């Protein structure tokens, strides 16, 4: 997990990244990345398949707007970018989950998130 919560100039910036290694359930196998893309797209999500230096990936961009009666008191729209990658020589998946509640800066931060995802490399 990596969290940024700082002031740049006079603008507060908040963003996070959670990296998760996903294993298939016992006795099951993860589907192909295209299955992940189809599953997400079936929900009407903004999903694309992309090629990263670490290999093919599924890019899922979405925004969550809080309900007016959110019990946590959240009033901010949160922008999320999830990047799903297959782990080489494995049935595991790596999920990079980026998010920010900074709606005015969301597009710029998504560009930054995409750039960070492009830095991933597999080492032998």
């Amino acid at each position: 997990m990596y969290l940024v919560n700082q002031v740049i100039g006079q603008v507060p910036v908040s963003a996070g990244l959670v990296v998760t290694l996903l294993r298939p359930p016992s006795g099951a196998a993860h589907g192909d990345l295209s299955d992940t893309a189809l599953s997400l797209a079936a929900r009407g999500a903004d999903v694309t398949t992309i090629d990263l230096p670490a290999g093919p990936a599924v890019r899922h961009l979405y925004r969550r707007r809080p309900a007016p009666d959110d019990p946590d008191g959240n009033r901010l729209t949160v922008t999320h970018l999830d990047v799903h990658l297959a782990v080489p020589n494995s049935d595991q998946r790596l999920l990079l989950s980026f998010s920010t509640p900074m709606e005015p800066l969301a597009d710029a931060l998504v560009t930054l998130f995409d750039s960070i995802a492009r830095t991933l490399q597999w080492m032998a």
Side-chain angles (χ1 to χ4, degrees), residues 3-119:
L3 300 173
V4 173
N5 191 15
Q6 66 186 91
V7 176
I8 299 175
Q10 293 189 10
V11 178
V13 176
S14 180
L17 165 62
V18 176
V19 179
T20 308
L21 183 63
L22 303 171
R23 292 181 163 91
S26 181
H30 274 299
D32 189 84
L33 279 176
S34 61
D35 294 336
T36 300
L38 289 172
S39 174
L40 292 168
R43 300 181 215 161
D46 179 359
V47 177
T48 54
T49 54
I50 57 175
D51 287 318
L52 297 176
V58 173
R59 182 183 183 275
H60 177 207
L61 178 64
Y62 58 103
R63 287 180 168 79
R64 288 224 170 111
R65 289 171 178 75
D69 59 347
D70 185 306
D72 296 327
N74 182 26
R75 300 290 177 250
L76 300 174
T77 297
V78 178
T79 300
H80 297 267
L81 176 65
D82 293 342
V83 179
H84 302 256
L85 297 113
V87 176
N89 305 313
S90 166
D91 60 353
Q92 299 174 345
R93 299 286 182 262
L94 192 70
L95 174 60
L96 306 176
S97 298
F98 300 94
S99 64
T100 182
M102 307 299 301
E103 195 59 29
L105 301 175
D107 291 341
L109 288 170
V110 166
T111 299
L112 174 64
F113 299 159
D114 281 324
S115 295
I116 292 169
R118 281 193 293 277
T119 68

